[in-house]
Amino acid sequence: MSWTSRRVLQTLAPKFCGALRFCGARFLCKNPTPRPSPKAALQTFGVLLDIDGVLIRGRNPIPGAKEALEMLQQSDVPTVYLTNGGCESEKESAERLSDRIGFEVREEQMVLSHTPLKMFDWLHNKHVLLSGQGNIKEITQAYGFTKTSDVEDIRRAYPLLDMVDRAIRYEHLNVAPEVLPPVEAILLLGEPVRWETNLQLIIDLLVTNGSPSASPVSPPREHIPVIVANTDLIYVSEVRLPRFGHGAFLLSLESLYKKLTGQELIYTECLGKPYLTSYQYAEYCLNQNNGSGMSGNLKSLYAVGDNLDTDIYGANLCHEYLKVFHNTSGDNSENQLKHSGSQSKQSAINWLPEVRSIESILVQTGVSTQDDGKPAAKTEGARFLHRDTVYHPHLRKANHVVENIAEAVELILKQEQESSQ
């Protein structure tokens, strides 16, 4: 962080300092040891921070990240870390981020791409296939899921389905297969390690309605529900060359399914940025972190990110939704609301937001850059968005462009100070 940025932040911080202390949510963002302050100072604004490209790059902290987070904490600004990362628990993610930047991040502040699944109680008692890596069974069990299988379970139950790797294609033949009930839904939580196995077995389940013991005469007209977390096509880590993300796996799955069946793969719900369900959950968590945990105090949000196609597009899309919901956008509000909401099917969720606006802030330490002197292009960036995301060029343009997280926090505190005068 530059001397100037640090000096400005130190000047602005006392304006917002109060007795706020973070307290855990009692429902979705549960913390077994909440510590509410007897003198809670409720803020009317909150901050959503992306992680990769904003606070860290791979294993390394971005300069100024720790100091910027300290200023938000000293100013008692409720903060949530809204990331498309996943395949780990919120506790693991918070601990890893804390270690890398040297600043304590609480578990209840983490909203990963799959965290909103806590709200999906209509899925919790179904037999669900999980695709991803890491301890995804334990993660979903903590969310309330009671019957889950992963791709390895399917391989053991149907040992002749996975034929690609010759070294392991017959390894389960001499083992009594586990009897699995039909799979009732599929959760795509993140990119798997063995793409070919996951692609094959997921499509097997889709074309057989979850029971791949026999070949169907024709694919079902409606396949079992598919819920996806994180549709990012690419991301940037410590190497500047873009890496394939979960969206690349989804593109492969969609293409193969359509090639095989002649039909489109249909997603019941998409989670993560830029979809509305994740912003709904983030609003809930911000309210839980804002003093008393009561909703209704936060009126505006700032979303800081490095990716125009997820962080910025999602924040601007959510702002459009909020404008229409609160009836401030003028004519054709009903049609605009429907169009804004089309980014997420909201199959299980009825969001009644109390936040009224979101301002997007792009930092130039990660994936994207933006030339403020150029109008938003009609096609630029559309190819990086997921197939089901309707592209609008103006939603890909940030409200503010700054160099790094330090300047972003400086901008937020200065703007809030001026608006309160």
Side-chain angles (χ1 to χ4, degrees):
M1 179 185 291
S2 67
W3 182 89
T4 302
S5 295
R6 183 180 292 109
R7 180 77 178 201
V8 172
L9 288 174
Q10 289 172 343
T11 302
L12 294 173
K15 176 70 180 178
F16 301 103
C17 288
L20 172 67
R21 292 294 180 267
F22 289 117
C23 68
R26 283 174 272 178
F27 177 44
L28 299 178
C29 302
K30 187 177 181 182
N31 178 356
T33 57
R35 294 172 288 177
S37 167
K39 297 180 180 179
L42 302 184
Q43 294 285 17
T44 60
F45 71 100
V47 175
L48 305 176
L49 294 178
D50 185 41
I51 296 176
D52 295 303
V54 175
L55 302 175
I56 59 175
R57 281 285 291 274
R59 298 163 296 175
N60 305 315
I62 288 175
K66 178 182 178 181
E67 293 85 350
L69 295 181
E70 286 174 344
M71 297 311 298
L72 286 175
Q73 184 182 64
Q74 292 168 13
S75 302
D76 290 328
V77 179
T79 304
V80 157
Y81 300 86
L82 182 62
T83 174
N84 274 358
C87 289
E88 63 181 344
S89 70
E90 289 75 18
K91 183 175 185 294
E92 291 169 331
S93 183
E95 290 174 349
R96 179 171 56 84
L97 180 59
S98 298
D99 289 341
R100 290 181 179 176
I101 60 178
F103 177 87
E104 182 185 2
V105 175
R106 298 178 181 273
E107 174 184 354
E108 61 267 20
Q109 293 176 276
M110 302 299 303
V111 179
L112 310 182
S113 60
H114 47 63
T115 303
L117 288 170
K118 295 177 182 180
M119 299 187 290
F120 284 47
D121 54 359
W122 64 277
L123 273 177
H124 290 173
N125 291 320
K126 292 184 181 294
H127 181 208
V128 177
L129 174 76
L130 308 175
S131 172
Q133 55 184 289
N135 58 335
I136 51 180
K137 282 188 176 181
E138 291 80 2
I139 293 169
T140 51
Q141 183 179 11
Y143 291 171
F145 287 78
T146 58
K147 295 180 289 186
T148 60
S149 297
D150 58 22
V151 170
E152 191 60 29
D153 293 325
I154 303 298
R155 285 190 69 240
R156 286 192 295 266
Y158 304 96
L160 291 176
L161 290 183
D162 184 20
M163 290 284 103
V164 174
D165 190 341
R166 296 183 180 186
I168 63 172
R169 61 169 50 168
Y170 299 124
E171 67 177 354
H172 294 310
L173 279 183
N174 297 323
V175 180
E178 179 184 355
V179 177
L180 291 179
V183 170
E184 299 172 280
I186 297 174
L187 295 185
L188 305 175
L189 300 178
E191 59 269 27
V193 175
R194 299 181 66 230
W195 283 32
E196 73 285 354
T197 295
N198 284 58
L199 289 170
Q200 177 71 75
L201 299 189
I202 289 170
I203 290 178
D204 289 340
L205 292 169
L206 290 171
V207 299
T208 61
N209 271 326
S211 300
S213 55
S215 178
V217 176
S218 61
R221 183 170 298 178
E222 294 184 6
H223 58 68
I224 57 178
V226 180
I227 296 88
V228 58
N230 180 5
T231 62
D232 288 1
L233 181 71
I234 55 174
Y235 67 96
V236 173
S237 186
E238 293 172 55
V239 178
R240 290 299 302 182
L241 284 172
R243 303 293 86 198
F244 289 140
H246 192 210
F249 174 80
L250 299 177
L251 181 60
S252 302
L253 180 65
E254 295 154 9
S255 300
L256 288 171
Y257 183 81
K258 185 171 184 179
K259 191 73 171 179
L260 186 65
T261 68
Q263 301 175 10
E264 295 283 357
L265 177 65
I266 304 299
Y267 295 108
T268 305
E269 188 79 34
C270 292
L271 306 178
K273 297 174 286 188
Y275 304 102
L276 297 178
T277 305
S278 290
Y279 291 90
Q280 174 196 13
Y281 193 90
E283 182 197 29
Y284 173 85
C285 290
L286 281 169
N287 278 314
Q288 294 299 319
N289 288 325
N290 189 24
S292 66
M294 300 296 291
S295 63
N297 296 297
L298 295 175
K299 301 304 179 185
S300 60
L301 301 179
Y302 296 89
V304 183
D306 71 305
N307 191 325
L308 291 172
D309 302 304
T310 55
D311 306 316
I312 303 307
Y313 198 97
N316 291 339
L317 170 67
C318 189
H319 179 72
E320 292 295 314
Y321 180 87
L322 295 174
K323 283 198 306 182
V324 176
F325 180 85
H326 293 293
N327 235 358
T328 60
S329 60
D331 297 333
N332 300 318
S333 60
E334 184 176 351
N335 290 334
Q336 292 179 43
L337 178 61
K338 182 178 179 181
H339 190 68
S340 296
S342 69
Q343 307 305 308
S344 175
K345 295 180 176 58
Q346 303 281 20
S347 61
I349 310 302
N350 183 25
W351 186 21
L352 304 177
E354 293 176 321
V355 168
R356 304 187 72 89
S357 67
I358 296 183
E359 291 190 36
S360 57
I361 304 175
L362 177 72
V363 296
Q364 304 196 78
T365 51
V367 172
S368 303
T369 58
Q370 176 175 294
D371 183 351
D372 271 343
K374 294 172 58 179
K378 291 184 178 180
T379 58
E380 181 187 2
R383 66 188 186 277
F384 295 119
L385 292 174
H386 184 258
R387 177 200 71 183
D388 292 349
T389 303
V390 180
Y391 179 59
H392 294 287
H394 72 283
L395 296 182
R396 199 174 177 263
K397 192 171 182 64
N399 297 126
H400 309 278
V401 180
V402 297
E403 184 63 30
N404 50 40
I405 181 61
E407 291 187 11
V409 172
E410 174 185 332
L411 170 70
I412 292 168
L413 295 182
K414 182 178 181 180
Q415 188 161 300
E416 286 298 316
Q417 181 190 41
E418 292 174 349
S419 66
S420 65
Q421 291 176 348

